[in-house]
Amino acid sequence: MGAGHGHGHAGSRHRWRLAVSFALIGAYFVVELAYGLISGSLALLSDAGHMAADVVTLGAALVATRIATRPDTTGRRSYGSYRAEIFASLLAVIMMLGVALYVVIEAIGRIGGGTEVSSGPMLVVGAIGLAVNLVALLLLRSGAGESLNVKGAYIEVVADTAGSVGVIAAGWLVSVTGQPFWDTFVALAIGVFVAVRAISLGRQVFAVLGQHVPEGLDAGAVAQDLASIAGVRDVHDLHLWTLTSGMNVATAHLVTADLSDNHAVLDQARDLLRRRHGVAHATLQVEPADHRGCDELGW
């Protein structure tokens, strides 16, 4: 059975918010990168790299809201194209790690050197970045409570805001002390911050691609709840995984007593998974107690 597409997607209602935020942050990324090269500020360059990864993430969130409503015309994508968001997130992880590595190597090379840093552009561009990020935060805030896709973008912008504050702090410290070391120090801090976020996001991405049990779900508890349904004697071949952010999927075999109402068992099981465990898409096989064959699988 093919996947449903775009039924009541909260993210689609907030697509315009994602689009405006994407345009604002994309434009600011170009400005920050240019002034980072002109001023020689590693803090600006490191934050620009961080912004580049966030532009990819915002773009992925925006595209995902479109893909989620697009029906599959090939007949080969039984779950649709929801995984596009996950692969885009993997690209963001790779970019973020690359940025962090570049910043650390460049910062180490500058230690003890006499690299000149212009604090004026740092302060101006940092202030512009802070304003842009605050506008984006206001745009995404209302949608973050309804859509995990929008929430992910909102968290990215929160991190951008912290980076802008770091750039302003570095520019002020360089201006007051005349020591370019502060630019290097803040750049290293931003680089470590980006690397930590990349590793955290990467773990989530590989958990989805590896079809791990979704975070917050306990397979044992789910099996126990299904087994407690009237007429169910046993539960086996239970599998739980995440298709994409906010879309958990389950399959299970339910062994029923001889006189059970299989239709009632199926309805109760689907309702239990949806209400108690947040699994809206479940494929359930109801079997009589004397059914044989499931234990013949070699994996």
Side-chain angles (χ1 to χ4, degrees):
M1 180 178 176
H5 298 277
H7 298 305
H9 265 260
S12 63
R13 295 196 298 273
H14 300 284
R15 184 179 291 123
W16 73 271
R17 299 177 185 273
L18 286 168
V20 174
S21 299
F22 175 76
L24 285 171
I25 291 177
Y28 173 68
F29 157 69
V30 175
V31 172
E32 186 173 37
L33 178 62
Y35 274 91
L37 294 171
I38 292 171
S39 67
S41 169
L42 187 57
L44 275 178
L45 289 175
S46 63
D47 192 53
H50 180 203
M51 294 289 287
D54 290 345
V55 167
V56 172
T57 304
L58 276 168
L62 183 60
V63 171
T65 62
R66 178 67 66 183
I67 290 178
T69 60
R70 182 182 301 168
D72 174 38
T73 59
T74 67
R76 298 180 60 83
R77 301 186 182 94
S78 61
Y79 276 114
S81 300
Y82 293 113
R83 279 283 168 90
E85 176 191 354
I86 304 302
F87 288 114
S89 296
L90 180 59
L91 176 61
V93 168
I94 294 171
M95 289 182 62
M96 290 163 70
L97 288 175
V99 168
L101 181 62
Y102 166 78
V103 169
V104 170
I105 292 175
E106 184 69 15
I108 291 174
R110 288 192 180 191
I111 293 176
T115 304
E116 291 295 327
V117 176
S118 177
S119 61
M122 293 176 64
L123 290 168
V124 172
V125 175
I128 294 173
L130 182 60
V132 167
N133 286 316
L134 288 175
V135 171
L137 282 176
L138 290 174
L139 284 170
L140 298 174
R141 183 176 180 180
S142 61
E146 297 182 24
S147 166
L148 286 178
N149 199 18
V150 179
K151 183 178 181 180
Y154 178 80
I155 292 173
E156 292 292 331
V157 177
V158 169
D160 288 341
T161 305
S164 295
V165 171
V167 169
I168 293 172
W172 180 78
L173 287 168
V174 170
S175 175
V176 171
T177 66
Q179 297 294 326
F181 162 78
W182 291 109
D183 177 69
T184 303
F185 176 78
V186 171
L188 273 173
I190 294 175
V192 170
F193 176 66
V194 171
V196 170
R197 286 182 57 245
I199 292 171
S200 176
L201 180 59
R203 290 180 62 183
Q204 296 177 47
V205 168
F206 283 111
V208 173
L209 294 179
Q211 295 185 306
H212 296 184
V213 173
E215 186 176 354
L217 281 182
D218 183 337
V222 173
Q224 186 175 359
D225 286 345
L226 289 172
S228 69
I229 295 173
V232 176
R233 296 179 55 179
D234 185 36
V235 177
H236 63 90
D237 285 303
L238 171 65
H239 301 283
L240 300 161
W241 71 98
T242 297
L243 184 60
T244 190
S245 299
M247 297 180 66
N248 295 334
V249 183
T251 62
H253 292 199
L254 308 179
V255 180
T256 57
D258 294 337
L259 300 179
S260 297
D261 182 348
N262 289 347
H263 288 288
V265 167
L266 182 61
D267 290 342
Q268 290 179 55
R270 289 172 60 87
D271 185 60
L272 181 149
L273 288 170
R274 182 174 57 253
R275 287 189 301 101
R276 190 173 300 178
H277 299 287
V279 179
H281 189 117
T283 302
L284 303 172
Q285 178 171 312
V286 180
E287 307 169 349
D290 60 354
H291 176 72
R292 295 292 181 269
C294 293
D295 57 352
E296 296 176 1
L297 289 174
W299 54 277

